């Protein structure tokens, strides 16, 4: 990212830089709406920032994310010293957790905000936080889809995870507010909603003392204009199986579930404090596939957690080969300050072993994903067009979430409209992406 000199910049222009997950992105979009309501011109992740004010929304989940956030803050801190920008603010997870340390480390930052008090930024600039616009956002995504955050925080106690230390206890967003937000976004042209939370499946337990995701899904599904709903970040232990009937029966709920499993070995699941066994995990996956025929499952696995032996890792490989997840990501364990594993376990898996295991796991998964993709050749699927590129239109099926999953490449033989749905016949694959051709009735 190149940073220009301040001379010639327009005042009252703000650049928002978002790092980390889609939950952070929603916070940035909310802040952008507030800036716009106060007369600012706002840009998100511009290739070459030209605002006199920069706000960095940081991630603090794992070591690599923290390092990226710090590098970005230092880069803009140097720009401020060189009078390339006038004001620099930092918010988000990293700032929530390490605010005092960061203030000492990077004094060029005008002020650090946490995960939840970023609203103060407006008043610190002498502007007004508009409460009547609290649920409105300036979307950074293409106009036809949006992320929909239904909760904050997490009540789980996984050994490796620092999120509860940053965000605190689980807080469900009231369903009426969520439905109102959906209606507002539909009026703006949004057709596809990615439901997100640190743990979707816990939704409602803090409000109603029972899981409420199925009822919320029904209400969102009933909103006219909602074409696709996709579920992200389910937790396997105490999974609310009543959700499955809603997924099966509602045509606008995608046959897609992102459920992070982390491991399969009973020894590792216990050390990770996942509160589920391999047998229970296997039974849950079988139930999901039986109750929602044709569902695509995305999961996340971890390698190199303290105590992971070669036997544990082989168990994980065998489990992945058997379960044949349609989508799978993985990350390497890093010791996060304050977590249970950092306090109680020695980080005893060598870095080179962690990297080797990561490579072996993803090699297995790539082969599975390739075979699943090839099985779709000849089928006609509903595809939404995300964008136009020089040689292809780029779209996705209901089995594919933006940014993380494969795409459908459609040769430009006729004009297509981003944001519209088309019937597309899958005619080939390349690596993990699919090729398609438009079918007309």
């Amino acid at each position: 990212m190149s940073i220009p000199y301040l001379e010639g910049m327009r005042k009252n222009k703000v650049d928002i830089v978002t790092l980390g997950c889609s939950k952070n992105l929603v916070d940035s979009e909310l802040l952008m709406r507030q800036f716009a309501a106060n007369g600012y011109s706002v840009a998100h992740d511009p290739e070459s920032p030209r605002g006199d004010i920069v706000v960095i929304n940081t991630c603090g989940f794992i070591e690599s994310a923290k390092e990226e956030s710090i590098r970005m803050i230092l880069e803009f801190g140097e720009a401020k010293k060189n009078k390339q920008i006038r004001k620099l603010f930092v918010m988000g997870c990293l700032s929530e957790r390490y605010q005092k340390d960061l203030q000492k480390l990077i004094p060029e930052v005008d002020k650090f905000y946490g995960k939840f008090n970023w609203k103060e930024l407006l008043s610190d600039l002498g502007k007004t936080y508009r409460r009547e616009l609290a649920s409105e956002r300036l979307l950074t995504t293409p106009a036809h889809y949006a992320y929909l955050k239904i909760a904050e925080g997490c009540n789980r106690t996984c050994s490796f995870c620092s999120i509860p230390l940053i965000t605190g206890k689980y807080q469900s967003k009231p369903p009426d507010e969520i439905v109102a937000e959906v209606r507002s976004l539909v009026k703006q042209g949004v057709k596809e909603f990615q439901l997100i939370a640190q743990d979707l499946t816990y939704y409602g337990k803090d409000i109603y003392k029972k899981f409420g995701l199925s009822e919320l899904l029904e209400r969102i599904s009933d909103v006219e204009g909602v074409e696709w709903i996709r579920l992200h970040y389910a937790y396997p232990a105490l999974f609310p199986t009543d959700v499955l009937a809603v997924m099966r029966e509602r045509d606008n709920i995608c046959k897609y579930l992102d459920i992070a499993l982390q491991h399969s070995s009973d020894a590792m699941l216990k050390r990770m404090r996942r509160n589920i066994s391999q047998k229970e995990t296997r039974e849950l996956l079988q139930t999901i596939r039986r109750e929602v025929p044709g569902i695509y499952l995305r999961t996340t696995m971890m390698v190199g957690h303290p105590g992971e032996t070669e036997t544990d890792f082989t168990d994980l490989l065998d489990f992945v080969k058997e379960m044949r997840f349609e989508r799978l990501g993985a990350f390497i364990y890093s010791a996060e300050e304050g977590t249970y594993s950092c306090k109680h376990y020695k980080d005893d898996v060598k870095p080179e072993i962690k990297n080797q295991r990561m490579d072996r796991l993803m090699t297995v998964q790539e082969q599975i994903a390739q075979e699943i993709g090839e099985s779709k050749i000849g089928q006609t699927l509903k595809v939404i067009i995300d964008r136009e590129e020089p040689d292809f239109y780029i779209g996705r099926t209901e089995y594919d979430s933006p940014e993380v999953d494969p795409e459908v490449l459609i040769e430009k033989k006729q004009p297509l409209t981003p944001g519209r749905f088309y019937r597309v016949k899958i005619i080939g694959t390349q690596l993990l992406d699919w090729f398609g051709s438009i079918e007309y009735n």
Side-chain angles (χ1 to χ4, degrees):
M1 180 182 290
S2 60
I3 304 176
Y5 287 97
L6 185 58
E7 184 179 354
M9 288 184 182
R10 289 189 298 151
K11 288 187 176 181
N12 291 331
K13 180 171 182 179
V14 181
D15 292 317
I16 309 287
V17 178
T18 304
L19 304 171
C21 67
S22 52
K23 295 183 286 295
N24 269 12
L25 186 65
V26 171
D27 292 339
S28 290
E29 292 174 341
L30 291 167
L31 177 60
M32 289 168 64
R33 179 67 182 95
Q34 293 289 332
F35 269 119
N38 278 279
Y40 287 89
S41 173
V42 190
H44 184 259
D45 285 347
E47 210 168 288
S48 181
R50 295 200 59 84
D52 62 339
I53 299 172
V54 173
V55 182
I56 305 174
N57 191 354
T58 59
C59 178
F61 178 46
I62 57 177
E63 191 61 34
S64 59
K66 289 191 288 188
E67 290 174 356
E68 181 187 16
S69 293
I70 290 172
R71 281 198 303 270
M72 188 67 70
I73 299 169
L74 288 171
E75 180 179 349
F76 279 100
E78 191 66 24
K80 184 167 182 280
K81 282 198 297 185
N82 294 333
K83 301 187 183 303
Q84 294 171 280
I85 61 175
R86 183 171 60 87
K87 294 281 187 180
L88 176 59
F89 301 101
V90 175
M91 59 183 278
C93 292
L94 186 77
S95 184
E96 176 77 26
R97 194 166 186 208
Y98 299 106
Q99 184 168 324
K100 291 182 180 179
D101 293 335
L102 289 169
Q103 287 171 339
K104 295 176 183 177
L105 177 66
I106 316 173
E108 292 77 23
V109 174
D110 289 277
K111 188 170 180 179
F112 289 89
Y113 302 86
K115 175 73 175 167
F116 305 106
N117 70 333
W118 52 264
K119 299 171 186 177
E120 297 173 10
L121 199 162
L122 277 301
S123 59
D124 289 340
L125 287 170
K127 304 298 179 179
T128 302
Y129 177 78
R130 304 275 295 276
R131 295 188 181 279
E132 71 275 16
L133 304 177
S135 63
E136 293 190 14
R137 299 187 258 153
L138 289 186
L139 293 182
T140 60
T141 55
H144 55 275
Y145 74 79
Y147 293 97
L148 186 67
K149 183 160 59 171
I150 67 169
E152 286 281 10
C154 185
N155 284 14
R156 310 292 186 173
T157 58
C158 303
S159 65
F160 53 85
C161 187
S162 61
I163 293 297
L165 301 174
I166 298 170
T167 61
K169 293 290 186 181
Y170 198 94
Q171 297 180 57
S172 299
K173 187 174 180 178
D176 288 347
E177 291 184 17
I178 295 171
V179 173
E181 184 177 358
V182 170
R183 293 186 189 280
S184 174
L185 289 168
V186 167
K187 288 180 181 178
Q188 296 177 42
V190 175
K191 303 174 181 179
E192 177 185 357
F193 292 85
Q194 324 294 336
L195 263 64
I196 55 172
Q198 188 60 32
D199 175 5
L200 276 187
T201 40
Y202 199 86
Y203 179 80
K205 193 72 183 297
D206 57 316
I207 299 177
Y208 308 111
K209 309 306 177 187
K210 65 176 184 177
F211 296 123
L213 181 60
S214 60
E215 291 87 347
L216 178 67
L217 283 175
E218 289 175 340
R219 291 190 61 183
I220 296 173
S221 174
D222 285 339
V223 175
E224 187 175 354
V226 174
E227 296 265 2
W228 273 355
I229 302 167
R230 194 174 284 105
L231 307 185
H232 284 277
Y233 320 129
Y235 194 92
L238 301 176
F239 183 91
T241 54
D242 60 339
V243 167
L244 301 177
V246 181
M247 294 183 71
R248 181 180 66 246
E249 294 164 5
R250 301 290 179 119
D251 290 338
N252 59 356
I253 300 180
C254 296
K255 303 299 184 288
Y256 178 104
L257 180 65
D258 188 333
I259 179 167
L261 300 179
Q262 306 303 354
H263 219 284
S264 62
S265 160
D266 281 326
M268 294 312 302
L269 290 171
K270 185 175 182 179
R271 287 181 70 83
M272 289 179 171
R273 309 178 84 201
R274 295 289 288 172
N275 298 310
I276 196 169
S277 67
Q278 181 179 133
K279 179 176 182 293
E280 291 166 335
T281 302
R282 194 184 303 273
E283 290 172 351
L284 173 61
L285 295 176
Q286 291 168 349
T287 298
I288 293 171
R289 291 198 186 279
R290 181 179 67 250
E291 294 296 318
V292 190
I295 192 170
Y296 269 42
L297 293 177
R298 163 170 277 282
T299 194
T300 305
M301 298 296 186
M302 175 186 286
V303 298
H305 185 280
E308 185 187 53
T309 65
E310 185 62 26
T311 299
D312 293 320
F313 179 70
T314 300
D315 185 296
L316 175 59
L317 280 184
D318 291 342
F319 183 77
V320 168
K321 291 174 184 176
E322 178 188 353
M323 293 295 107
R324 292 180 65 80
F325 297 100
E326 287 79 9
R327 310 283 183 245
L328 183 147
F331 63 101
I332 293 172
Y333 170 84
S334 63
E336 299 301 322
E337 180 184 358
T339 60
Y340 184 92
S341 61
C342 190
K343 291 178 180 178
H344 295 89
Y345 303 143
K346 180 182 178 182
D347 190 1
D348 57 357
V349 182
K350 295 179 180 179
E352 59 269 26
I353 299 298
K354 292 179 182 180
N355 290 326
Q356 289 171 10
R357 289 176 180 172
M358 179 73 158
D359 291 342
R360 290 164 62 190
L361 175 60
M362 295 315 297
T363 297
V364 167
Q365 178 58 28
E366 285 169 9
Q367 180 62 37
I368 293 170
Q370 179 71 22
E371 292 169 0
I372 290 172
E374 290 171 355
S375 74
K376 291 293 182 183
I377 294 176
Q379 295 186 25
T380 298
L381 304 173
K382 183 179 179 180
V383 169
I384 194 167
I385 303 300
D386 278 339
R387 64 189 184 277
E388 179 181 357
E389 293 191 351
D391 297 323
F392 296 97
Y393 289 101
I394 310 298
R396 289 175 293 105
T397 71
E398 69 173 302
Y399 311 120
D400 304 302
S401 192
E403 306 294 335
V404 296
D405 289 329
E407 296 175 314
V408 181
L409 284 64
I410 304 167
E411 195 171 348
K412 297 172 72 172
K413 294 182 179 179
Q414 62 278 312
L416 304 180
T417 304
R420 285 192 57 187
F421 291 94
Y422 295 86
R423 288 172 52 80
V424 176
K425 184 176 182 179
I426 305 304
I427 58 175
T429 65
Q430 183 180 57
L431 298 177
L432 300 181
D433 289 329
W434 302 351
F435 291 97
S437 63
I438 296 294
E439 282 205 347
Y440 294 95
N441 294 329

